[in-house]
Amino acid sequence: MRILLVEDDANLADTLAEVLTSQHCVVDIARDGEEGWEKSQADDYNLILLDVMLPKLDGINLCRRLRAHGNNVPILMVTALDMSTDKVQGLDAGADDYLVKPIDPPELMARIRALSRRAQIAEPTVLRWGELQLDPGMHEVSYTGQSVHLTPKEYNILELLLHHGRQVLKRITIVEHVWSLTDPPREDTINATIKSLRNKLKGAGAPHNLIETIHGVGYRLSQLS
């Protein structure tokens, strides 16, 4: 899941990004409302986590602008304002849910899952490729029933590969879907992540060439026998 986090408090933004990343989310951070608007136009997100009190463009007006331009991505507002009138204003602006600070990480993730279910994006069917299985709902990967423990980046790359199968996945596509736009990877970082993913799958019994390299282009899954 790709999330746009619009939050001007750097410490809180980093903390929330760490929580979300640990749950296999890819997070882009915007520090003000105008930057949030620009990022929302430049990329597709599964959810927007939006603070209300923002510089340049506040969260209420950003939410209104998004809805006015036909953007129907789920929006979860996060704010220190806990008056019922503030909540009503946020929901009337087009937000789908409202969470008051301080934020409890388990509650945050529960609300995100609920919004995702409503948008029918959080509970896809189990992905399979031969003996390889990835369960997006449980965030579990296995090969011939043996559990494979992956980092969030490795998991997201594998999920992307499973969605594409034999279609070649370009390196730029991997970067756009797996890494934050504010923290793009170095060339050797992608190579190292793919190598680690291959080794972990091989350790569970998968062939080393399960993930094929198409030199100069990208990667794809090997042909099933």
Side-chain angles (χ1 to χ4, degrees), residues 1 46-47 74 96-97 106-124 136-137:
M1 177 185 291
N46 301 117
L47 183 137
D96 297 277
D97 200 358
E107 181 182 1
L108 171 64
M109 294 311 304
R111 287 177 182 265
I112 288 175
R113 288 193 296 272
L115 289 175
S116 298
R117 284 194 295 271
R118 291 181 209 168
Q120 298 181 338
I121 61 175
E123 301 292 344

Side-chain angles (χ1 to χ4, degrees), residues 100-101 106 171 177 180 214 216:
V100 177
K101 299 175 182 177
R171 293 173 67 87
H177 284 79
S180 168
I214 309 301

